[in-house]
Amino acid sequence: MAATGQRTERAYHQDYICRVRYENNLPPPPGSLKMLDIPIDGLDYYASPGFASRLHRSQPINIEADAELGMPIDLVGMPGVFDGDESSIQAPLLIPPVHPKDKTLLRPLSELGKPKYQGGGISFLRRTEYISSDTARARAEAAPKSTPRSPGQRLRKPVDTSKDDPVNVLRAAVKGFNIAHPDDAYIGPDTKDNIKGLDSTPAETEAWDNPKHPVRSNLKPLDFYPVLPDLEAVTDAGHYVVTKFTANPTQIIDKRDIRMDVGLLRPGDLSETVYAEYQSKMAAYEADSVNNIHPGAPPVNFHFFLPADETSAVNLSKKLDVDDPDRDNHALYTAQGGDGKGVFQLHHQRVYETWRSTAIDANHAHKEVALALHDPELEERRRNYRLDSQASSSNRSGKAAYYYPIIQKIQLKPHRSKNLAQLGVTARIEDQDDEGKVDAFDVVVEDLDETEKAKRAEHRAELLGEEGETQNGDA
């Protein structure tokens, strides 16, 4: 039994193939080899810690550095830094070109390390894979063109250059609208005003009927909203401006300040010095746009106003809400003006200056938009289940995601020179903002006049694509 349980190992004949890459054609040494005993006592001396300590004391580091190590943090010597001019401590707007000798020091980490040798015809630097690839390429060229392909190999589809034609691009765009609205699809011949879209495939129709997330297939859409312009919220200018503060503009930090919903920003007049500097930068940019950057919008200062309390903010929000049923109630006013009529008083808070300003090209006014979802069913449900009686009924009848075009984005920061002057750090600087400073505003909410209605009707006509489109009764 023991003999039958043993496994007999078979011997296989193997050949070891060794390829010599570097051949040594030198003759052998004339004498016989002999091992010599060479003392290496000095290695212990140089490898001891004491040698490194003595070397550090005897050879000081030859570095000349100032007291601040090249990074000054004392702002006393910086010209104009306490007057609001921070140009001396800021990086230059135009970055100077890098010196050719410094480009080597600015290489990314991916380029550091051992150099990558490229096969350039040098025999002893060429690797084995290069030789094998050359051999495979030579065999492929010598083989007939009808070489059978493997079952898993796919042939590359030829590129259809006609798809880049502008007419085909337009047909592809029309196809998307035809899939979304098949009843309105145009199926006639191409005319000046109408063009027939491309035929949709069943897979494209199925993707529209049952949309799936491109990455997370387990997600399901909850609802669908058509994207439409809000014609009832068109402004006199036809667009909106997004304003952001770099710091909290109020003293309330533990909760949201509802007064910010009805805050007022009043642009101030540019001083002659600031306006002349802006004109010089604009002229330099127009003369040489390569070496000069665009100065952007004029650096206007803004005066910020807020109501005195939350009650005034809530009442003012009701007056501004065209859907609120109590908006015409004059008892909402919290103060009286000089003529004895009701007003809302907004008090001056502080002066802000433009820190960053991004203007969007007027030819691409809808490049950035703000969206607001509106669902009449949800509005009705909210009116039925709200505990208070302040629910509003919107005049918008359709369910849609209304968009509002944004033409400019501004970031505001507190006016540095004035704030430092208030703290007593610098001397007071008088400018034109102080001349036209207003301590408080009396705000009265009224309906639009004919001029404002005409401006908004013109912008509605541009959105609808119909000249002369007007809507009366706007507020």
Side-chain angles (χ1 to χ4, degrees), residues 412-429:
L412 302 178
K413 68 176 182 179
H415 202 297
R416 184 177 180 84
S417 60
K418 288 190 176 183
N419 296 335
L420 292 178
Q422 293 175 359
L423 297 175
V425 179
T426 60
R428 182 69 177 179
I429 300 177

Side-chain angles (χ1 to χ4, degrees), residues 5 11 32 37 44 133 137 225 252 279 287 298 309 335 376 413 446:
S32 59
D37 185 10
D44 298 335
S133 61
R137 189 181 302 108
Y225 290 82
I252 301 177
Q279 290 293 337
D309 49 24
K413 68 176 182 179
E446 298 179 350

Side-chain angles (χ1 to χ4, degrees), residues 72 76 242 307 403 445:
V76 175
V242 176
Y403 68 86
V445 180

Side-chain angles (χ1 to χ4, degrees), residues 229-286:
D230 193 350
L231 302 179
E232 298 181 3
V234 175
T235 61
D236 298 345
H239 52 258
Y240 289 82
V241 177
V242 176
T243 306
K244 181 179 181 181
F245 295 92
T246 57
N248 188 8
T250 64
Q251 300 298 328
I252 301 177
I253 59 176
D254 56 343
K255 64 178 182 178
R256 181 178 179 272
D257 193 351
I258 63 174
R259 298 181 302 165
M260 292 293 298
D261 297 340
V262 292
L264 177 64
L265 285 172
R266 176 177 176 265
D269 298 331
L270 288 177
S271 62
E272 296 181 358
T273 305
V274 175
Y275 184 74
E277 182 180 359
Y278 175 77
Q279 290 293 337
S280 62
K281 292 181 179 180
M282 181 61 71
Y285 172 76
E286 294 176 353

Side-chain angles (χ1 to χ4, degrees), residues 7 10 53 93 114 123 125 137 178 220 337 369 399 404 412 435-436:
R7 299 178 56 184
R10 299 177 58 186
S53 301
L93 298 178
K114 297 182 180 180
S123 59
L125 290 180
R137 189 181 302 108
N178 293 343
K220 302 296 182 182
V369 296
K399 173 185 176 181
Y404 309 90
L412 302 178
E435 297 178 2

Side-chain angles (χ1 to χ4, degrees), residues 18-24:
C18 177
R19 179 181 178 183
V20 179
R21 177 174 292 183
Y22 307 101
E23 298 181 0
N24 186 5

